[in-house]
Amino acid sequence: MQLPVQSQSTIYAEPWEAEAGPEDLLHIARAADRSGFAYLASCDHVGIPRRLAAAMSTVWYDPVATLSFLAAATERVRLLSHVAVVGLRHPLLTAKQYATLDHLSAGRLVLGVGAGHVQEEFEALGVDFRQRGAVLDECLDALRAALGPEEFPEHHGKLYDFEGLGQRPRPAQDRVPLWVGGSSPAAVRRAALKGDGWLPQGDPRDRLPAQIARIRELREQAGVQGAFTVGAITEPLYVGSPRWYVGRRTLTGTPQELAESLRAYRAMGVHQIQVRFRSRSRTELTDQIAAFGAEVAPHL
């Protein structure tokens, strides 16, 4: 699941999150850890321009700081940046931050990356917004090297060129998973050819099979080998019968009914689903997390 509180876009934030803070994040992360969730995710924005602030809000916690904070409070749940706009930073800086996070968390990092969409962020940081796709493509290659086993990583490209600079600690994992976010044709191609996984951005169920088929086709044509994780973001969920209006798109019902609906994702070829629960308070959310882990997940 993507963590609440740490990003508060009006698209998905619940009203109670506006007054929430670090203690709430700790309770929620520990609940997910106890309940068997695969990962906790945190978003990435450096700054939100005034033209977008009303819709997106300006509450966007830094993912490295947030996930590091929660790493010390959890034991097994993985830590995902969903997604880090890595093109805003030099790959050596990104590698230093996330390699340290992986080291401190005993190998629980999943580095999710995306091209970004807020032009003013790029302009303020001196990065060409129009070239963000090409920047991300090379960033992925550079990060493969910088997050690999070598103490002195090496990369020679059009945008970034480095060698002879040692970085320790190294990641605890032999290979940090790189999942690519986005649902545009360019993002799907990038995920298929350069990533270890795909994080779709809001694809409804009826669009997923074609996207997954395209990824398989691209990988087969290019001869890309190795494990690949296909993700999906489900509809909002509520375990049980809510006594308040949770929205027409929200899936509700018994654990068996929810599991039956969610198993359709597996039939499409999805390997992991990201869930978001409707809630009116932190307690209601952690109750939903516990109910899902105990009563729905076993049926998946």
Side-chain angles (χ1 to χ4, degrees):
M1 64 177 289
Q2 184 184 115
L3 287 157
V5 182
Q6 54 79 38
S7 69
Q8 296 190 25
S9 168
T10 57
I11 295 173
Y12 49 72
E14 301 284 8
W16 66 266
E17 295 178 47
E19 302 300 323
E23 190 66 23
D24 301 286
L25 277 172
L26 286 174
H27 276 269
I28 293 158
R30 287 167 175 153
D33 195 35
R34 289 193 304 268
S35 298
F37 279 52
Y39 64 72
L40 299 169
S42 181
C43 304
D44 182 25
H45 277 292
V46 173
I48 305 301
R50 290 186 186 276
R51 68 179 178 88
L52 298 174
M56 292 182 63
S57 94
T58 58
V59 179
W60 295 84
Y61 288 33
D62 177 78
V64 177
T66 304
L67 295 174
S68 298
F69 174 65
L70 298 177
T74 54
E75 296 180 357
R76 48 152 301 279
V77 69
R78 303 203 76 173
L79 307 160
L80 168 67
S81 57
H82 188 182
V83 291
V85 186
V86 292
L88 294 176
R89 308 163 180 90
H90 194 285
L92 279 179
L93 174 60
T94 298
K96 168 58 73 174
Q97 293 174 315
Y98 282 101
T100 303
L101 171 56
D102 194 62
H103 175 78
L104 292 173
S105 66
R108 289 192 276 148
L109 170 67
V110 180
L111 182 54
V113 303
H117 67 94
V118 178
Q119 184 170 347
E120 290 90 337
E121 282 184 304
F122 284 76
E123 293 172 347
L125 295 171
V127 182
D128 189 345
F129 180 74
R130 294 168 298 177
Q131 296 299 313
R132 65 193 185 281
V135 170
L136 178 54
D137 283 338
E138 187 169 331
C139 271
L140 281 163
D141 294 335
L143 286 168
R144 283 285 187 211
L147 290 171
E150 298 299 325
E151 180 181 351
F152 293 87
E154 182 175 343
H155 171 80
H156 303 288
K158 294 180 179 180
L159 300 171
Y160 307 107
D161 190 284
F162 55 83
E163 65 175 311
L165 292 169
Q167 287 192 330
R168 294 182 67 187
R170 304 307 302 152
Q173 298 177 85
D174 293 333
R175 181 183 175 96
V176 173
L178 294 178
W179 292 357
V180 178
S183 295
S184 69
V188 169
R189 172 177 288 275
R190 185 175 296 117
L193 301 182
K194 290 181 175 290
D196 300 308
W198 176 52
L199 292 163
Q201 191 62 42
D203 287 83
R205 291 191 189 207
D206 58 358
R207 283 190 56 191
L208 282 171
Q211 297 274 58
I212 295 169
R214 178 60 175 157
I215 288 173
R216 289 173 176 162
E217 178 186 33
L218 287 165
R219 289 175 65 83
E220 288 173 4
Q221 289 176 349
V224 179
Q225 302 293 321
F228 188 86
T229 302
V230 174
I233 301 175
T234 74
E235 303 84 351
L237 303 176
Y238 193 92
V239 183
S241 298
R243 297 180 180 178
W244 57 288
Y245 182 65
V246 295
R248 61 181 181 82
R249 290 187 60 250
T250 300
L251 298 179
T252 66
T254 67
Q256 292 81 2
E257 290 169 337
L258 289 178
E260 181 179 1
S261 178
L262 295 174
R263 282 197 298 268
Y265 285 101
R266 184 175 63 189
M268 298 177 197
V270 170
H271 302 110
Q272 62 90 3
I273 51 173
Q274 186 174 127
V275 298
R276 177 175 288 275
F277 302 100
R278 295 301 317 275
S279 60
R280 295 164 293 178
S281 67
R282 184 187 82 190
T283 299
E284 186 168 28
L285 175 57
T286 53
D287 286 348
Q288 283 286 303
I289 289 170
F292 188 91
E295 301 171 24
V296 180
H299 298 290
L300 300 177

